[in-house]
Amino acid sequence: MALADKAAFGRRIERLYTYWKDNLAHMDSLSIAVTNDDDVTYSKGISLMIWLLGYELRDTIMLFSMEDIFVISSKKKTDFLRPLRDMLAKKENMPKMTLLTRMKGDSGADHMKTVIEKVKALKSVGHFPKDHFKGELAKQWNAKLKELEIDQVDATAHIALCLAVKDEQELSHLNKVAQYTSDIFSKYLRNELMNIVDEEKKVKHVKMSNNIENLVAEGKKCLLPGMDKDSVEVAYTPIIQSRKFSLKFSASSDEEKIDYANRSSVTVLFGTRYKSYCSNISRTVLVEPAEKQQKNYELLLEIVEKVYSIMTENTKLSTVFNKCVEFVKEKRPEWLNNFPKNIGFGTGIEFREPSLLIGPKNDNVLKKNMVFIIQIGVVGLKEDEKEYALMLGDTVVIGDTGASVLTPSKKKIRSVSIFLKGEGDAEEEEEEENIMENITRQSRRTAVIDNKLRHEPLSDDKRKEHQRKLVEKLNQEARDRLSAKKNGYTEKKKVQTSVAFKNLQSFPSNDPDIRNLKIMVDKKHESVIIPIFGIPTPFHISTIKNVSKSEEGDYVYLRTNLNVPGTQVAKDEHYSNPEATFMKEITFRSNMRKTLAGEVPAMHLNNAFRIIKEVQKKFKQYENEKKEMEDVIEQETLKITQTKGVPRLKDLYCRPNLSTRRVIGTLEAHSNGFRFHNTHGGNVDVIYSTIRHAFFQPCDKEMLIMLHFYLKHPIMIGKKKTYHICFYTEVGEIMTDLGKSSHMYDRDDIEAEHAEREMRQKLKGAFKNFIEKVEALSKGKVEFDTPFRELGFFGVPFRSSCMLQPTTHCLINVIEWPPFVIALEEVELIHFERVQFQLKNFDMVFIFKNYSRKIEMINSIPMSSLDAIKEWLNSCDLKYTEGAISLNWPKIMKTINDNPDNFFEDGGWKFLDPDSEEEGEGEDSDAAGDESWGPGEVNSDEEEGSEESDSDEEYNSEDSSAAAASAGSSSGSGSSEESGKDWSDLEEEARRDDQRRLREEREDDSPKKKRKIAPPPPGKSSSKSSSKKKKRR
């Protein structure tokens, strides 16, 4: 048996005795006798026992008094209660618990005699007269109590009021069971009814009721994360009615078949229990309802909502009922003849609490955190001489401003009715509901994937039309985003200027090298002191661009180049006055001959050169580490959960590795984050709030199963920062012995395959169980996303080909390392390059909403995947374009960032669309577009090269040279019509263009002198033409 919850017992026993002292002063003791009786499901004694102890202890007698608590039970149960006894002994003003163990086969008469002797001194004993247990132990105990000459008090109503107000733990159980009940109705029961109507099946009421009961018993569907399927059961047998109607919970489903003819109604009463706490839902499904039926249903819904608003704290239950009756009398007085005598009751561990009936004579008061089952209905209604009933009900909790519904299943007429005819109004309302559902979802992309998997792909024309609408929306959103960024205040990053010496006292003026006007390197202050015109002048190591040493004859030359404004490395913002005069280069010369003292002057320059190089190397290393750590944010402290029930996964590996080799470890989920600790003692903490996206990669057709986390901010793993961390284990053997001969029916191979399948299923179950617990523990902060393998495609994001799979929010490949993860919400546009009929592969370019971010590219995607990718992107509301050539994206993005207003005035991203008007006007417009937005020509001029390298650095492009080279080759073709020429034709064309350009430059240099081109020799051209004609003949 599990351990008792001492904290819950301590709270509730204090609450019980406080209520006893305030409201039951005339009762001296309270008796409970529970035996093993399967016919008894609900009783006050069982409810009080579960409320206090958390478990139902059968064959147990408990007697409560102000000074003592006596328990007569078996050894196993008294051992379970022993920690509670010890806890009570340490508390002041609390009764002492005495445990009396009844051995196997013992009737317990001796222990009863001991307890009865204590009771004789009391004046009264409380009991529950409606608890009827057939067990011998209960009969003996009740008989001995009747023999006593003391008053017996009915404590049923008082204990019910004590248990009515629920604490946080109870409300948690009630929330889960109510949501589970609602999901069973919405996801199974309602859909099953609609299928029966659609397919015109002949199904009996009792069979459908049994199907629901079996579904709950299996515990496979609709369970919430963290729910134990063994703790879920039906509160009563589900009641399905469509011909004869009764609003009582004592009714049953009969053997008649479900009536789904027009104007009929099907009423459903369904309740479940979780850890002994109950919930209920009542709904009516109308089949092709008439207008009057719809109005009646809407009125009933209005009545229910009115009751919920009346149920405020400190309101009498009779007041709630009377106001409801008054509202019905005002709206539809003829309903009062068939209106129920009560409209609900309190619930909790007992399904129906008679002391808390919402009726005309109950003056008990509503209190916050009381839970009720509301059920309002009308029977005996007729439409087209067909009798029908209406019924609605929910499980609600009392709050500050009224009752809050715990069973959120839809109640509107369009959500619970079946319309067999297509009506315009119905279609419009369905569209509105779909829009609202999409808005309330976490992301639009969730619906997108579902549609992709369930519906046929859109036609090409519809897709193009949708893309045309998207480009207008895209340009407008980008323009608004840039204007908001321009109007908003963006704090510029402060540039720290390095200072050699902060004050005069730190300057080493007494150093002999400085006194002798020699070059001196101060390692402590990372500075070089150089004599200039007889004055020792300090230079910080960051101001030195490079230093070189050369030997010519008997001399050694030390050349130092300094950073000045306007160069690539030294930006103007690094200087307080960029317009000042700067020294760019200093050269020192020293003799290699020995002096009279036997010294070689050049040795000092050699030492200075060596030390400057060392200081430069250390400074650059420090700067790189500092730059790498800029965006690393220290995580909050992990709060370790001390209980034993911490969710954990064992035998996992971590990527990136914590050490030089792989080390196995355990992943644990605590209250605010994960902790991975390996066998060597290394720990990695990942806080829930730092996780941006969490992915679960199952082992279906993969050799790894893993949990991957994409973080908002990088964390340090060892000495490196990373945005990605994953925990995985291998499934089966990664390597296969090709030299091993195997047979198709080899028993060892069959057993190995069977064992591998079992291990895969076991691992998937363990990972899914861990995920469910984590999602419940994190309270929605971490939600795991599973990739859709059906929508996957192959490509090369880095160096090797791998399968890229869409998820709800991202496009990922986490099997390979480094991982590839792109969040779709950050993507503005996708461009397909090298889309040509004769090519087998194409490339996919991702342009992000942050234009300063480097583009991402996936290469070598099979052409067969193009249509599927387009369909997926279109369903995600992402704009895509395609082209036949590769573009120089660093140069394009620099052009956009330099002047975004002109870019969007010229049409924005429409220049990439081959169907756009800008590119469809002829060859001249194509050439102009290529000249403006294409990769451009590679110029050999140094100034242009430096400007291009500057732009590449601003764009953070690492492969700018490769991109420029590929872009240059593609731009040389000029248009898509010439892309089919071979190299010899292209070289000949380039040679002619060079000669023409050279002639034009010469003519521009000498405009006054006109060259006279000599005519060709007579007959030469004609002879060529004639010879050609002869050949043709």
Side-chain angles (χ1 to χ4, degrees):
M1 184 177 287
L3 296 176
D5 189 347
K6 293 191 288 186
F9 175 76
R11 292 193 309 269
R12 293 172 185 175
I13 196 70
E14 288 182 2
R15 180 171 150 192
L16 174 64
Y17 274 85
T18 301
Y19 184 88
W20 191 345
K21 293 174 183 178
D22 295 340
N23 300 279
L24 291 169
H26 59 285
M27 187 178 75
D28 295 335
S29 62
L30 176 65
S31 167
I32 302 175
V34 176
T35 58
N36 194 5
D37 193 343
D38 294 335
D39 294 335
V40 179
T41 305
Y42 302 107
S43 76
K44 195 61 66 184
I46 292 176
S47 299
L48 182 58
M49 191 176 289
I50 293 174
W51 184 70
L52 284 174
L53 308 177
Y55 292 92
E56 177 183 344
L57 304 183
R58 296 276 181 161
D59 292 329
T60 300
I61 295 173
M62 298 183 74
L63 182 78
F64 297 85
S65 68
M66 286 297 173
E67 293 80 19
D68 297 287
I69 300 176
F70 294 96
V71 180
I72 303 174
S73 190
S74 63
K75 184 178 184 306
K76 187 175 181 181
K77 294 165 187 173
T78 54
D79 290 342
F80 169 77
L81 296 173
R82 192 163 285 113
L84 304 182
R85 181 198 65 182
D86 298 339
M87 185 193 70
L88 281 179
K90 298 176 183 179
K91 285 194 173 189
E92 297 181 358
N93 301 323
M94 292 302 295
K96 181 182 70 173
M97 180 182 288
T98 303
L99 301 178
L100 303 173
T101 303
R102 185 171 62 89
M103 304 309 293
K104 190 173 183 181
D106 183 10
S107 62
D110 295 338
H111 295 316
M112 290 184 194
K113 185 177 180 181
T114 303
V115 178
I116 290 294
E117 290 298 326
K118 295 287 184 180
V119 178
K120 285 181 179 179
L122 304 176
K123 295 180 180 180
S124 61
V125 61
H127 70 121
F128 306 122
K130 292 185 179 180
D131 287 5
H132 299 291
F133 289 95
K134 300 177 181 178
E136 194 63 31
L137 184 69
K139 289 181 179 179
Q140 290 182 21
W141 174 253
N142 293 330
K144 289 184 179 293
L145 284 180
K146 289 181 180 179
E147 292 175 0
L148 298 176
E149 296 179 357
I150 60 175
D151 295 335
Q152 294 194 2
V153 180
D154 185 0
T156 305
H158 289 286
I159 297 301
L161 293 175
C162 180
L163 273 60
V165 178
K166 306 299 187 288
D167 58 26
E168 291 184 4
Q169 186 178 14
E170 292 179 290
L171 288 175
S172 175
H173 294 331
L174 286 162
N175 272 305
K176 287 182 179 180
V177 70
Q179 183 65 52
Y180 174 74
T181 307
S182 178
D183 289 346
I184 288 288
F185 174 80
S186 302
K187 299 178 181 180
Y188 174 78
L189 210 159
R190 182 176 60 183
N191 294 339
E192 191 67 20
L193 278 173
M194 290 184 178
N195 289 336
I196 290 172
V197 176
D198 288 342
E199 300 175 12
E200 298 183 356
K201 295 180 179 178
K202 306 291 185 181
V203 180
K204 295 180 180 180
H205 298 133
V206 67
K207 183 178 180 181
M208 188 167 188
S209 174
N210 293 335
N211 291 341
I212 300 169
E213 197 168 1
N214 294 334
L215 181 71
V216 175
E218 291 173 1
K220 295 182 179 180
K221 291 188 177 182
C222 304
L223 285 177
L224 273 68
M227 286 185 72
D228 181 13
K229 66 177 183 179
D230 296 330
S231 301
V232 179
E233 59 181 334
V234 292
Y236 58 92
T237 303
I239 303 171
I240 313 295
Q241 302 173 108
S242 65
R243 299 179 185 273
K244 297 177 182 179
F245 301 96
S246 173
L247 301 182
K248 296 181 179 180
F249 286 95
S250 58
S252 60
S253 303
D254 54 31
E255 294 287 340
E256 294 191 32
K257 296 176 181 177
I258 296 175
D259 182 12
Y260 46 78
N262 291 353
R263 311 297 186 256
S264 62
S265 66
V266 182
T267 59
V268 178
L269 288 84
F270 172 60
T272 59
R273 300 177 76 196
Y274 175 64
K275 293 187 176 179
S276 301
Y277 286 87
C278 303
S279 72
N280 185 76
I281 190 171
S282 303
R283 292 291 185 267
T284 302
V285 178
L286 297 173
V287 181
E288 195 62 34
E291 186 177 353
K292 184 179 178 182
Q293 285 179 298
Q294 295 183 41
K295 289 181 178 179
N296 287 340
Y297 183 89
E298 290 172 355
L299 176 59
L300 180 62
L301 181 59
E302 190 178 353
I303 295 170
V304 171
E305 297 295 337
K306 180 70 174 179
V307 169
Y308 294 163
S309 64
I310 298 171
M311 296 179 69
T312 56
E313 193 174 5
N314 297 324
T315 303
K316 291 182 178 181
L317 296 176
S318 57
T319 304
V320 176
F321 180 83
N322 293 331
K323 287 186 177 181
C324 175
V325 171
E326 290 175 4
F327 187 77
V328 174
K329 187 176 180 179
E330 178 186 350
K331 296 290 184 179
R332 199 66 55 87
E334 61 271 18
W335 281 10
L336 293 176
N337 297 328
N338 296 323
F339 203 71
K341 295 180 180 179
N342 64 77
I343 58 174
F345 44 83
T347 190
I349 299 175
E350 279 193 274
F351 179 75
R352 185 175 183 269
E353 182 50 68
S355 303
L356 293 173
L357 281 176
I358 305 178
K361 297 180 181 180
N362 194 340
D363 290 335
N364 286 320
V365 175
L366 292 172
K367 294 183 180 179
K368 188 177 180 181
N369 292 340
M370 282 186 171
V371 179
F372 285 82
I373 290 175
I374 302 299
Q375 179 170 307
I376 304 176
V378 184
V379 297
L381 300 175
K382 288 188 178 182
E383 182 66 30
D384 295 341
E385 298 183 357
K386 188 177 187 65
E387 185 176 343
Y388 70 97
L390 298 176
M391 181 172 52
L392 281 176
D394 290 295
T395 306
V396 299
V397 59
I398 306 302
D400 296 327
T401 58
S404 299
V405 178
L406 299 181
T407 47
S409 178
K410 296 179 180 178
K411 298 189 286 286
K412 290 187 177 180
I413 183 70
R414 301 296 178 182
S415 301
V416 297
S417 299
I418 302 173
F419 295 91
L420 303 178
K421 296 180 180 179
E423 300 177 0
D425 296 339
E427 293 178 359
E428 291 177 5
E429 192 157 341
E430 284 179 5
E431 290 178 2
E432 290 178 3
E433 288 183 0
N434 291 336
I435 292 171
M436 292 305 298
E437 286 180 4
N438 291 338
I439 291 173
T440 54
R441 283 179 180 156
Q442 290 182 353
S443 172
R444 165 95 178 134
R445 310 190 196 287
T446 308
V448 160
I449 304 273
D450 293 342
N451 290 336
K452 172 66 184 175
L453 294 176
R454 289 176 173 82
H455 299 290
E456 297 179 358
L458 296 171
S459 65
D460 194 50
D461 293 337
K462 289 183 178 180
R463 199 164 58 202
K464 288 181 178 179
E465 180 63 28
H466 187 219
Q467 288 293 310
R468 276 193 288 270
K469 293 178 181 178
L470 283 178
V471 72
E472 299 293 340
K473 180 182 177 182
L474 179 74
N475 288 333
Q476 184 61 39
E477 288 179 354
R479 194 181 290 109
D480 296 341
R481 188 171 62 251
L482 291 173
S483 62
K485 184 178 179 182
K486 188 184 296 183
N487 296 332
Y489 174 74
T490 56
E491 183 180 357
K492 291 186 177 180
K493 187 179 179 181
K494 293 182 180 179
V495 180
Q496 295 182 353
T497 304
S498 300
V499 179
F501 299 97
K502 294 182 179 180
N503 49 53
L504 188 61
Q505 287 76 17
S506 60
F507 185 79
S509 56
N510 296 327
D511 191 277
D513 288 341
I514 294 178
R515 288 183 176 183
N516 296 329
L517 298 179
K518 294 181 179 180
I519 298 176
M520 185 262 183
V521 183
D522 190 341
K523 292 184 179 180
K524 180 179 178 182
H525 294 89
E526 298 176 334
S527 302
V528 181
I529 302 170
I530 301 174
I532 299 175
F533 299 118
I535 301 173
T537 307
F539 291 85
H540 192 269
I541 198 70
S542 62
T543 61
I544 299 175
K545 184 177 182 181
N546 54 54
V547 60
S548 62
K549 185 190 72 169
S550 61
E551 298 179 2
E552 295 181 7
D554 294 337
Y555 296 97
V556 174
Y557 293 89
L558 183 66
R559 180 181 177 184
T560 304
N561 293 321
L562 303 174
N563 291 320
V564 296
T567 61
Q568 176 180 350
V569 178
K571 303 293 182 182
D572 290 351
E573 60 262 19
H574 288 73
Y575 300 90
S576 58
N577 185 13
E579 302 298 329
T581 302
F582 290 83
M583 186 165 53
K584 189 173 183 181
E585 179 184 340
I586 308 173
T587 304
F588 288 88
R589 187 184 72 171
S590 183
N591 201 332
M592 296 177 65
R593 296 178 182 178
K594 289 185 179 181
T595 61
L596 295 176
E599 297 179 355
V600 179
M603 290 296 295
H604 184 77
L605 283 186
N606 291 333
N607 290 334
F609 172 73
R610 178 178 56 80
I611 298 173
I612 290 173
K613 283 289 188 182
E614 290 177 0
V615 175
Q616 262 192 331
K617 183 179 179 181
K618 290 182 180 178
F619 179 76
K620 288 180 179 177
Q621 184 178 358
Y622 169 76
E623 287 293 316
N624 290 336
E625 290 177 357
K626 184 179 177 182
K627 186 177 180 181
E628 188 176 1
M629 294 291 292
E630 279 181 352
D631 52 352
V632 176
I633 297 177
E634 187 175 356
Q635 298 186 96
E636 61 179 286
T637 305
L638 182 68
K639 297 177 182 177
I640 304 296
T641 304
Q642 301 297 338
T643 58
K644 294 184 179 180
V646 175
R648 58 170 52 91
L649 284 175
K650 297 181 179 179
D651 301 332
L652 299 182
Y653 298 102
C654 176
R655 287 199 301 201
N657 295 329
L658 303 184
S659 57
T660 54
R661 59 178 183 176
R662 291 196 314 171
V663 181
I664 201 167
T666 302
L667 180 66
E668 295 178 346
H670 295 277
S671 57
N672 68 330
F674 298 96
R675 167 161 287 184
F676 177 80
H677 54 88
N678 56 27
T679 53
H680 290 197
N683 291 335
V684 176
D685 296 340
V686 182
I687 305 301
Y688 295 146
S689 58
T690 63
I691 297 174
R692 186 175 183 183
H693 294 290
F695 305 105
F696 167 52
Q697 175 66 57
C699 52
D700 300 331
K701 301 182 181 179
E702 298 288 354
M703 299 304 295
L704 301 177
I705 181 170
M706 68 171 59
L707 301 177
H708 185 98
F709 301 108
Y710 177 32
L711 308 178
K712 298 175 183 176
H713 308 288
I715 62 173
M716 297 301 296
I717 303 293
K719 295 184 179 179
K720 294 184 179 180
K721 70 174 184 179
T722 179
Y723 279 92
H724 299 271
I725 184 169
C726 73
F727 307 98
Y728 69 98
T729 187
E730 297 173 353
V731 184
E733 297 181 357
I734 301 294
M735 294 182 292
T736 305
D737 187 3
L738 298 178
K740 178 184 176 182
S741 60
S742 60
H743 191 266
M744 180 177 179
Y745 300 104
D746 189 353
R747 181 177 297 176
D748 293 338
D749 290 345
I750 293 174
E751 290 180 355
E753 290 178 4
H754 181 67
E756 182 177 331
R757 281 195 297 270
E758 287 184 348
M759 186 174 68
R760 285 176 181 269
Q761 294 298 326
K762 185 178 178 181
L763 284 173
K764 281 179 68 176
F767 271 74
K768 287 184 177 179
N769 185 34
F770 178 79
I771 287 170
E772 290 175 355
K773 291 180 179 178
V774 168
E775 289 179 343
L777 183 64
S778 64
K779 298 179 181 179
K781 291 182 180 179
V782 179
E783 292 185 356
F784 286 87
D785 213 351
T786 304
F788 297 92
R789 191 175 181 88
E790 298 86 351
L791 303 180
F793 57 92
F794 285 92
V796 185
F798 298 113
R799 294 183 179 179
S800 60
S801 178
C802 59
M803 172 169 271
L804 297 128
Q805 303 176 63
T807 68
T808 305
H809 307 284
C810 301
L811 177 66
I812 67 168
N813 173 264
V814 294
I815 296 293
E816 304 287 339
W817 194 264
F820 180 82
V821 178
I822 286 184
L824 299 181
E825 60 186 7
E826 297 178 348
V827 177
E828 175 152 304
L829 178 75
I830 292 93
H831 182 68
F832 303 121
E833 294 184 339
R834 300 190 303 114
V835 180
Q836 299 183 31
F837 176 73
Q838 65 271 24
L839 297 181
K840 295 182 179 179
N841 300 317
F842 67 94
D843 302 332
M844 191 175 180
V845 180
F846 294 86
I847 300 105
F848 299 97
K849 294 177 181 178
N850 181 9
Y851 292 158
S852 61
R853 179 177 171 182
K854 182 184 174 183
I855 63 162
E856 297 281 353
M857 180 177 288
I858 303 174
N859 299 316
S860 303
I861 303 173
M863 196 66 72
S864 58
S865 302
L866 181 60
D867 287 338
I869 295 174
K870 285 182 178 180
E871 181 64 30
W872 166 60
L873 293 174
N874 188 73
S875 61
C876 292
D877 287 343
L878 285 174
K879 172 64 181 172
Y880 63 82
T881 56
E882 61 181 65
I885 60 175
S886 299
L887 302 177
N888 186 356
W889 287 103
K891 196 167 184 179
I892 292 175
M893 299 309 297
K894 182 181 182 300
T895 306
I896 296 173
N897 286 322
D898 290 344
N899 199 339
D901 294 334
N902 287 351
F903 170 71
F904 287 108
E905 286 178 3
D906 295 339
W909 294 108
K910 288 183 179 180
F911 79 92
L912 290 171
D913 195 348
D915 297 332
S916 63
E917 298 178 358
E918 288 80 4
E919 294 191 359
E921 295 178 355
E923 294 181 359
D924 296 338
S925 62
D926 289 342
D930 290 342
E931 186 177 351
S932 301
W933 305 109
E937 298 176 355
V938 179
N939 296 327
S940 61
D941 188 50
E942 293 183 357
E943 295 180 0
E944 293 184 13
S946 64
E947 291 176 2
E948 186 172 349
S949 62
D950 289 345
S951 66
D952 294 345
E953 185 184 0
E954 292 174 4
Y955 183 66
N956 296 327
S957 174
E958 299 174 359
D959 303 325
S960 58
S961 59
S966 64
S969 64
S970 62
S971 63
S973 60
S975 64
S976 60
E977 294 178 359
E978 298 174 358
S979 60
K981 296 181 180 180
D982 56 14
W983 281 108
S984 59
D985 295 338
L986 293 173
E987 289 176 356
E988 180 64 24
E989 187 177 358
R991 186 184 62 78
R992 289 198 300 269
D993 290 343
D994 292 341
Q995 291 179 353
R996 178 178 54 78
R997 192 181 299 107
L998 185 61
R999 287 198 303 269
E1000 292 176 355
E1001 289 177 356
R1002 289 176 179 175
E1003 291 176 359
D1004 294 339
D1005 292 340
S1006 55
K1008 295 181 180 179
K1009 297 179 180 179
K1010 296 183 179 180
R1011 293 183 59 189
K1012 294 182 179 180
I1013 302 175
K1020 204 165 186 179
S1021 61
S1022 61
S1023 64
K1024 285 185 179 181
S1025 61
S1026 62
S1027 63
K1028 288 180 181 179
K1029 290 179 181 179
K1030 289 178 182 178
K1031 288 180 182 179
R1032 288 173 184 172
R1033 290 172 185 171

